[in-house]
Amino acid sequence: MVTETSRRTPLIAGNWKLQQDHLQAIALVQKLAWTLQDAKHDHASVEVAVFPPFTDLRSVQTLISAEKFDLRFGAQDVSEHDSGAHTGEVSAAMLAKLDCAYAIVGHSERRQDHHESDAIVGRKAAAALRAGITPIICVGETAEDLEQHGASAVPVQQLREVLAELPATGEIVVAYEPVWAIGSGQAATAEQAQQVAQALRQTIAEVRSDEAAAATRILYGGSVKSGNIAGFMREPDVDGALVGGASLDAAEFAAIARFKHHVGT
Ligand code: PEP
């Protein structure tokens, strides 16, 4: 099996969705950075990243760079196109100029609200890679999928179709987010998350290589809080979390990032 946990730095990523204007973003990033600083958080051992709306990115970039905060940041979406007549789109090159390390692609809200197919998600991930940005590829089953096909089948198929659009190399992160667990307060169990994360890692091994599978971080997302993160992080194939609601509270999000200090809970 391709699990070699020690090679992967955990990533705790906060997806703010359509919340926080640029002034609120500055306040939230400051509070988060100071909370982590006060707790002497070791960013080399657990990476922390925030995903504000596009309009906040310049402010977040300027703040993090001026204050030399160890936080990383990215966008919640990216265009599949590099440039041209695509009104309303934001390119990966534009995000790279803003020092975005990551771009989320294929979040279930975009798949639902904007009818994004796996092929589109794959092309968005490819566009990110072309600009040197690591795509965070979201996959996950609905409650109906879960009932009909079990937990792994749909996310594995989604990942296969996304990977088919990508070059064989280039860093990716995968986020397993069961749709029924997002914003519902009903998180998957750690065992469920592990089962799907393991199947996703096996898929990466088959499509890319064992080495790529062992190096790729797989996150769990869906109603993660400081009270349940430790359970997920004990699982060998879960390398972090994509956090929605709880990332808007600096103290709570910092506590999630500090999971190593309550791993026994
Ligand atoms: C998300 O939006 O990716 C998410 C996991 O949301 P929440 O943590 O609020 O369930």
Side-chain angles (χ1 to χ4, degrees), residues 69-83:
F69 291 148
D70 278 326
L71 297 171
R72 306 190 82 199
F73 59 94
Q76 297 173 17
D77 185 34
V78 62
S79 178
E80 65 180 277
H81 305 290
D82 291 337
S83 65

Side-chain angles (χ1 to χ4, degrees), residues 75-104:
Q76 297 173 17
D77 185 34
V78 62
S79 178
E80 65 180 277
H81 305 290
D82 291 337
S83 65
H86 304 288
T87 302
E89 296 279 277
V90 175
S91 77
M94 291 169 179
L95 297 176
K97 264 273 193 271
L98 287 169
D99 298 336
C100 286
Y102 300 104
I104 296 171

Side-chain angles (χ1 to χ4, degrees), residues 166-218:
L166 299 187
T169 56
E171 186 191 2
I172 59 168
V173 173
V174 177
Y176 166 54
E177 297 209 302
V179 179
W180 48 269
I182 296 178
S184 67
Q186 191 204 335
T189 64
E191 294 72 26
Q192 280 171 320
Q194 165 59 23
Q195 184 201 331
V196 180
Q198 187 179 49
L200 293 170
R201 196 176 302 288
Q202 191 56 44
T203 305
I204 298 168
E206 284 161 29
V207 178
R208 296 188 125 193
S209 64
D210 281 353
E211 174 137 275
T216 299
R217 289 177 292 181
I218 300 181

Side-chain angles (χ1 to χ4, degrees), residues 24-239:
Q24 294 167 319
I26 290 168
L28 181 53
V29 168
Q30 270 173 336
K31 198 166 174 203
L32 175 62
W34 291 338
T35 306
L36 289 168
Q37 263 171 18
D38 286 351
K40 299 196 171 21
H41 181 68
D42 177 8
H43 288 267
S45 78
V46 179
E47 193 184 333
V48 183
V50 293
F51 294 77
F54 285 130
T55 51
D56 302 358
L57 287 171
R58 175 66 174 150
S59 305
V60 168
Q61 175 207 24
T62 305
L63 174 67
I64 287 177
S65 147
E67 298 291 332
K68 298 188 172 47
F69 291 148
D70 278 326
L71 297 171
R72 306 190 82 199
F73 59 94
Q76 297 173 17
D77 185 34
V78 62
S79 178
E80 65 180 277
H81 305 290
D82 291 337
S83 65
H86 304 288
T87 302
E89 296 279 277
V90 175
S91 77
M94 291 169 179
L95 297 176
K97 264 273 193 271
L98 287 169
D99 298 336
C100 286
Y102 300 104
I104 296 171
V105 294
H107 190 281
S108 67
E109 286 150 16
R110 293 209 60 87
R111 289 175 183 265
Q112 272 167 10
D113 299 352
H114 302 274
H115 311 291
E116 289 187 7
S117 64
D118 293 318
I120 292 174
V121 175
R123 292 199 294 273
K124 288 183 171 205
L129 286 174
R130 282 197 296 281
I133 289 176
T134 301
I136 299 184
I137 300 165
C138 299
V139 295
E141 82 287 356
T142 62
E144 205 178 28
D145 294 331
L146 181 65
E147 210 174 282
Q148 282 181 11
H149 310 288
S152 315
V154 167
V156 162
Q157 185 58 23
Q158 288 173 332
L159 183 60
R160 267 188 201 288
E161 292 188 24
V162 171
L163 291 178
E165 303 289 332
L166 299 187
T169 56
E171 186 191 2
I172 59 168
V173 173
V174 177
Y176 166 54
E177 297 209 302
V179 179
W180 48 269
I182 296 178
S184 67
Q186 191 204 335
T189 64
E191 294 72 26
Q192 280 171 320
Q194 165 59 23
Q195 184 201 331
V196 180
Q198 187 179 49
L200 293 170
R201 196 176 302 288
Q202 191 56 44
T203 305
I204 298 168
E206 284 161 29
V207 178
R208 296 188 125 193
S209 64
D210 281 353
E211 174 137 275
T216 299
R217 289 177 292 181
I218 300 181
L219 315 182
Y220 166 76
S223 299
V224 168
K225 300 193 244 2
S226 59
N228 61 17
I229 183 67
F232 292 110
M233 296 308 296
R234 270 195 292 266
E235 299 295 338
D237 285 294
V238 178
D239 305 311

